[in-house]
Amino acid sequence: MTIKQESVYIQLSEQQTLHLRRIYNDEKIGPAVLFVHGAVENGKIFYTHSNKGLAPYLAEQGYVCYVADLRGRGESKPAISKYAQYGQTEAIIEDIPAFIAKITELEGKAPAYWVAHSWGGVLMNSVFARYPEYINDVKACAYFGTKRSLYNHHPKKYLQGNLIWYFLAPILAKKHGYLPAKRLKWGSDDETKKSHYQSMQWAKRQPWVDSDDGFDYAKIVGDLQLPPTLHIAGVKDKALAQPIDIQKFIDESGKGVQKLQIYGRKHGHKHDYDHINMLTHPSAKLDQFTDLVNWFATH
């Protein structure tokens, strides 16, 4: 069995090229999976070039994995700079639909499974709200550490949420014209000024409404039957996605089947996972990755 990787590029406009990493098992070609990363991240949260991570693991099981780099992130070009005017609205109405269209073109059908990390799950459910026709194509979803608004009161939340994301980040975004999160070691990639502003508003328990056109995601999603979704929490994810935060997101995410599972030693798992290593720790294969495969197989 050989796991192969190749890059697929989408010419979104004269100025923008999107990148998808296609990871697959050349002996077993199964359903396609779309992966979307979160804020201050890129697609590398799901894979390494040496075939570590969730996407290569799923490729071993026969899934054809497509890992997205949202506009300006990862290997999408050009990289984010002070000239980048786009935000999460563009990710929802342009980038993710373009990824789905390209996967459909290459595979002959739309991706049957969606996987997200952190804010990527909010973007995915926002896409379902805008384009409910996608729901029938998706058999199941899995969201790692996804919340929309922060409800927990852990000290780390006040540091990472209130001090850094709500206070310091807007100052730095205004100064530089974008948020240089990679240079600051706040994440693996940078964030546009608009994207930071929009995600900050939603994280503050503001209404789930688009600041560009007033589209009311909460109103639409609340009436939808979304695909069965497995929500994965880590016991050491204290700041960014505690169970209370994830449960609030579940509560506002429609009427479909949703399951919240917490991963840590006290729950019988191999490791106490946090917001990042829930996807990167070697033991994840034996814990949440195995459960995800079973979740997909069940649906």
Side-chain angles (χ1 to χ4, degrees), residues 135-206:
I135 294 170
N136 290 334
D137 294 327
V138 182
K139 293 179 179 175
C141 301
Y143 296 166
F144 287 76
T146 291
K147 57 84 191 55
R148 183 176 75 83
S149 302
L150 285 165
Y151 288 85
N152 80 77
H153 293 287
H154 194 277
K156 284 188 177 179
K157 177 257 180 182
Y158 289 100
L159 173 66
Q160 293 182 43
N162 296 52
L163 179 62
I164 292 177
W165 200 244
Y166 300 158
F167 179 70
L168 292 176
I171 294 169
L172 291 164
K174 186 176 180 182
K175 178 185 175 184
H176 297 283
Y178 71 104
L179 182 61
K182 188 175 180 181
R183 195 165 76 217
L184 296 164
K185 294 187 166 52
W186 288 358
S188 302
D189 221 316
D190 298 328
E191 202 74 14
T192 69
K193 188 176 175 182
K194 179 181 175 183
S195 184
H196 168 263
Y197 170 79
Q198 290 186 308
S199 64
M200 178 178 68
Q201 295 310 306
W202 286 2
K204 280 180 173 175
R205 307 187 204 173
Q206 300 278 30

Side-chain angles (χ1 to χ4, degrees), residues 226-237:
L226 296 187
T229 303
L230 176 64
H231 292 265
I232 290 155
V235 295
K236 290 186 80 174
D237 190 352

